[in-house]
């Protein structure tokens, strides 16, 4: 079944959007011209468009989950990052922070969406997460004392500990190394948001999910993480000094995706190709969200391209 699944992916990957498709959307062309998104109408509200974009991703994930294989747990864990997004949306709402991007995705695994939306206090939220992989490294009492930024970093850390725990046994090392890199990029972001030394302390204490299991790093810091990805630190440092952390993260994620693509090409019938496909369908969804939100807010095309 594993070989069948991967072979199917080689066909499914041909249906993903091209650079030209994105350009057409940026120029205002309707979604109905794209076969996978032809159910999106011009009359749909912003929330409806985003939900229908999400539906395509969820449908793709559900198809893969339905092909019972030793990869099923990994596929499910990858999809659970959508549920993690929902938890972050609720957390920010409890802090009074709302935005156009704060729209729930209709994806459910550990946390029923209707119950999540009804949560009206932080303590209730964290208590509800105690039996999920998203809240495993500290007590609710400890977490409640921390800042919003720390709480989001904590959720990310718990997630990476979770997904690395369900790697296919026969391919843990190769796939684990790429997941370590993905998690390290996220940890680099939080190091730049927090004090770097403080973040390193937290990684030893409550953010242990960021610690690499398959890569040796002499010291966890943004410079060494850039070195692992062969990204010039002087260029990265200049971006940080200019406050362009989001631009740096985009570049690091792009390098990571390229590394995954290269590994997947060398092992085209392995879980590496599955991981590559999963990253691509999530990237497609995220790209479409940026385009839809950018168009709705009247952002110039060039600015949307840069996000």
């Amino acid at each position: 079944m594993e070989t069948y699944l991967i072979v199917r992916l080689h066909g499914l990957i041909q249906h993903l959007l091209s650079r030209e498709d994105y350009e057409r959307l940026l120029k205002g062309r309707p979604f109905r011209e794209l076969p996978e998104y032809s159910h999106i109408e011009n009359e749909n509200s912003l929330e409806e468009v985003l939900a229908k974009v999400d539906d395509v991703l969820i449908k793709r994930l559900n198809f893969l989950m339905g092909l019972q294989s030793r990869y099923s747990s990994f596929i499910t864990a990858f999809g659970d990052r959508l549920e993690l997004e929902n938890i972050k949306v609720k957390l920010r709402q409890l802090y009074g922070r709302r935005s156009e991007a704060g729209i729930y995705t209709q994806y459910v695994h550990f946390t029923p969406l209707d119950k999540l939306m009804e949560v009206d206090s932080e303590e209730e939220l964290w208590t509800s997460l105690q039996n999920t992989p998203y809240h495993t490294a500290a007590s609710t009492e400890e977490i409640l004392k921390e800042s919003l930024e720390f709480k989001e970093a904590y959720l990310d850390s718990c997630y990476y500990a979770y997904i690395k725990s369900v790697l296919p046994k026969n391919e843990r090392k190769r796939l684990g190394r790429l997941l370590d890199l993905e998690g390290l990029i996220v940890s680099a972001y939080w190091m730049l948001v927090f004090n770097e030394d403080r973040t390193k302390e937290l990684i030893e204490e409550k953010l242990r999910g960021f610690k690499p299991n398959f890569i040796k790093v002499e010291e966890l810091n943004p410079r060494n993480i850039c070195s692992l990805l062969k990204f010039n630190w002087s260029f990265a440092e200049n971006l940080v000094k200019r406050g362009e952390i989001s631009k740096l993260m985009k570049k690091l994620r792009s390098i990571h995706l390229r590394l995954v693509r290269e590994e997947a090409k060398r092992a085209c019938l392995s879980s590496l190709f599955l991981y590559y496909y999963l990253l691509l369908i999530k990237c497609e969804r995220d790209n479409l969200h940026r385009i839809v939100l950018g168009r709705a807010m009247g952002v110039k095309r060039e600015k949307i391209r840069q996000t």
Side-chain angles (χ1 to χ4, degrees):
M1 181 59 77
E2 288 75 21
T3 302
Y4 171 76
L5 185 152
I6 303 299
V7 170
R8 287 298 304 268
L9 294 182
H10 281 270
L12 292 172
I13 206 169
Q14 305 303 318
H15 296 281
L16 301 184
L17 298 184
S18 65
R19 186 181 296 273
E20 290 73 24
D21 291 325
Y22 289 127
E23 283 299 317
R24 292 188 190 100
L25 290 173
L26 282 169
K27 292 176 182 177
R29 300 291 287 274
F31 273 91
R32 64 171 177 270
E33 295 181 4
L34 304 172
E36 295 290 324
Y37 299 93
S38 60
H39 58 300
I40 298 176
E41 303 289 343
N42 289 341
E43 298 76 21
N44 290 150
S45 67
L46 174 65
E47 291 78 7
E48 288 172 332
V49 173
L50 293 175
K52 288 183 176 182
V53 168
D54 288 344
D55 286 344
V56 174
L57 173 57
I58 294 169
K59 180 180 177 182
R60 286 166 169 168
L61 289 168
N62 286 338
F63 171 75
L64 298 178
M65 293 174 196
L67 298 175
Q68 294 298 317
S69 70
R70 70 172 184 268
Y71 300 146
S72 295
S73 295
F74 175 69
I75 296 167
T76 300
F78 186 93
D80 287 344
R81 58 186 65 190
L82 297 177
E83 186 165 66
L84 191 70
E85 288 181 12
N86 284 341
I87 294 167
K88 289 183 179 180
V89 168
K90 169 52 70 174
L91 183 60
R92 290 168 194 154
Q93 287 178 346
L94 292 172
Y95 269 76
R97 300 186 185 182
R98 298 173 182 272
S99 68
E100 292 290 358
I103 298 172
Y104 292 99
T105 297
Q106 299 298 311
Y107 177 94
V108 175
H109 184 198
F110 295 104
T111 307
L113 187 54
D114 56 345
K115 292 185 178 180
L116 179 65
M117 294 174 70
E118 291 172 1
V119 168
D120 59 11
S121 74
E122 253 209 275
E123 184 173 4
E124 183 183 355
L125 174 63
W126 290 105
T127 300
S128 72
L129 297 177
Q130 285 177 346
N131 294 320
T132 74
Y134 313 128
H135 182 19
T136 57
S139 68
T140 293
E141 291 75 17
E142 290 176 289
I143 295 300
L144 287 172
K145 298 174 184 176
E146 300 286 354
S147 66
L148 172 61
E149 289 74 20
F150 172 84
K151 290 164 184 170
E152 291 199 32
Y154 174 77
L155 288 169
D156 287 337
S157 170
C158 289
Y159 173 77
Y160 281 103
Y162 159 49
I163 193 170
K164 284 187 280 188
S165 74
V166 298
L167 292 174
K169 289 183 179 180
N170 295 338
E171 300 174 58
R172 283 180 60 81
K173 189 173 182 180
R174 289 187 301 174
L175 186 54
R177 183 179 180 280
L178 294 170
L179 272 166
D180 271 348
L181 285 172
E182 184 189 331
L184 286 173
I185 292 170
V186 178
S187 74
Y189 170 78
W190 291 117
M191 286 180 192
L192 295 170
V193 169
F194 300 130
N195 172 279
E196 184 180 314
D197 291 334
R198 175 59 177 148
T199 307
K200 286 188 283 190
E201 289 178 13
L202 290 171
I203 288 175
E204 293 298 325
E205 299 167 2
K206 300 171 187 173
L207 304 181
R208 293 188 294 272
F210 288 135
K211 293 185 72 171
N213 297 343
F214 306 92
I215 294 175
K216 291 183 178 180
V217 186
E218 186 174 332
E219 182 181 356
L220 277 182
N221 58 51
R223 183 179 192 133
N224 285 344
I225 292 168
C226 285
S227 178
L228 282 171
L229 292 160
K230 296 180 173 57
F231 185 69
N232 184 277
W233 172 243
S234 295
F235 186 70
E237 194 173 29
N238 285 333
L239 290 175
V240 173
K241 288 178 180 177
R242 295 201 301 266
E244 297 181 289
I245 296 176
S246 295
K247 187 173 182 179
L248 172 59
M249 292 300 109
K250 181 182 178 182
K251 288 185 177 295
L252 295 181
R253 286 193 297 268
S254 177
I255 293 170
H256 175 257
L257 183 61
R258 187 172 68 243
L259 288 173
V260 175
R261 181 178 68 241
E262 291 169 358
E263 294 280 348
K265 285 183 177 180
R266 286 194 287 267
C268 61
L269 291 178
S270 74
S271 60
L272 299 182
F273 195 87
L274 168 63
Y275 180 45
Y276 178 49
Y277 176 78
L278 291 171
L279 287 174
L280 287 180
I281 61 175
K282 176 64 164 53
C283 284
E284 180 171 296
R285 176 262 196 176
D286 293 345
N287 288 337
L288 291 177
H289 271 224
R290 293 186 191 100
I291 291 172
V292 171
L293 290 168
R295 280 171 42 172
M297 293 186 289
V299 179
K300 293 182 178 180
R301 276 180 279 177
E302 189 55 40
K303 283 288 185 183
I304 298 175
R305 289 191 191 96
Q306 292 172 4
T307 59

